[in-house]
Structure formats: structure tokens, C-alpha cells
């Protein structure tokens, strides 16, 4: 063994002792801070409001949202109420203005998207009309070619009959 068992016990005991002392110092600091600030503020009279700001618990956090003791502070002061109301009104006005700006920007983007979609739709419609006109032209040409082919078959049949009447015989062709 590299270390004797007594030395290991001593180091674990010393570590525990240091950890306990650090913990006690932290607890003392946490308990002492709210008590000291309450005493010093009441002694100096630096509280801007005339309210009861007593601590409900020694371990409570001094945040208005988490600690209800500061929620009533300043509610009887008319100047503070007016200022808080102005802040609320100005904040709500600012919020409404921001929402209007966002709505207008969204509307502009929507209008631009609609305009782009209309341009694309118009372009596709023009292409479709060209395609339809081409199809109609092709269909008319096919019908015309079909009529001409029928006339050509009739003419070929007529010439073949005349040739047969004059004695021509088709050796390579088998009649069905």
C-alpha cells in the first residue's frame, strides 16, 4: 500500500471538517444578509414608500415576483400610481405599435408573394395557351393529312385497277 490507512482516515476527516465549515459560513452569510439589510434600511429610513416591508421568512428571496411582501410597496402613493399607470399605458402603446409594424410587414410579404404567384400563374397560362394553339394546329394538320391519305389510297386503287385491266400483274404482292 502506498498510504497507510490512518493517513486516509485523517484526510477524509479533514475534508469533512473543511466542508462543514464552508457550509456553515454560507448559511451564516445567507441568514445575515437579509437581516442586515432590513435593519440598516429601517435605521436609515431609506425606504421610498410608507409600507410594511417585513420579511415573511428569513430565507425568502427579495424578488417581487417570488416574495409577496414587496407587492404592496407604493400602492398608496398617488405619484407612484400615476407613474406606474403611465408606464403601463406607454408599454401597451409600444406593444400595439410593434404589433402594427409586424402586421404591416407580414402584409407586405403576403402581397409580394401573391404578386409573384400571379406573375407565375400568368406565365403558365400563356404557355398553356401556346400549347393549346399548337395542339389545335397539329390536330388540323393531322386531319388534313388523313383526308389526303384517303384520297391517295383511292387514287392508288384506281390506277392499280386500270393497270390490271391493261394486263399488269403484281408478282411480289399477295392479295388477301
Amino acid at each position: 500500500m502506498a498510504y497507510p490507512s490512518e493517513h486516509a482516515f485523517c484526510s477524509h476527516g479533514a475534508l469533512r471538517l473543511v466542508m462543514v465549515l464552508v457550509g456553515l459560513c454560507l448559511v451564516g452569510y445567507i441568514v445575515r444578509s437579509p437581516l442586515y439589510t432590513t435593519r440598516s434600511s429601517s435605521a436609515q429610513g431609506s425606504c421610498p414608500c410608507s409600507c410594511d416591508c417585513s420579511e415573511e421568512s428569513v430565507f425568502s428571496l427579495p424578488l417581487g415576483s417570488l416574495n409577496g411582501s414587496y407587492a404592496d410597496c407604493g400602492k398608496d402613493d398617488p405619484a407612484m400610481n400615476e407613474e406606474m399607470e403611465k408606464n403601463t399605458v406607454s408599454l401597451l402603446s409600444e406593444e400595439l405599435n410593434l404589433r402594427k409594424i409586424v402586421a404591416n410587414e407580414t402584409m407586405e410579404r403576403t402581397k409580394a408573394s401573391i404578386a409573384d404567384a400571379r406573375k407565375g400563374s400568368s406565365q403558365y397560362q400563356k404557355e398553356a395557351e401556346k400549347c393549346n394553339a399548337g395542339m389545335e394546329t397539329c390536330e388540323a394538320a393531322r386531319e388534313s393529312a388523313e383526308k389526303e391519305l384517303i384520297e391517295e389510297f383511292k387514287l392508288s386503287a384506281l390506277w392499280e385497277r386500270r393497270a390490271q385491266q391493261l394486263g399488269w400483274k403484281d408478282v411480289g404482292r399477295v392479295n388477301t
Side-chain angles (χ1 to χ4, degrees), residues 72-140:
D72 296 334
C73 193
K75 74 176 184 180
D76 296 328
D77 186 13
M80 180 65 91
N81 284 338
E82 185 178 337
E83 185 64 30
M84 290 300 289
E85 189 174 315
K86 285 181 183 176
N87 276 342
T88 303
V89 169
S90 66
L91 287 173
L92 288 174
S93 296
E94 185 178 344
E95 178 71 21
L96 284 174
N97 288 336
L98 289 174
R99 287 186 184 219
K100 284 180 185 177
I101 290 170
V102 168
N104 288 339
E105 288 175 354
T106 304
M107 185 65 73
E108 288 174 11
R109 282 194 307 268
T110 303
K111 286 180 180 178
S113 296
I114 289 172
D116 288 343
R118 284 183 179 163
K119 286 179 185 176
S121 174
S122 174
Q123 185 66 28
Y124 285 124
Q125 192 167 1
K126 288 178 184 176
E127 292 294 323
E129 288 172 0
K130 286 180 187 177
C131 185
N132 286 340
M135 288 294 291
E136 288 174 3
T137 303
C138 287
E139 184 65 22

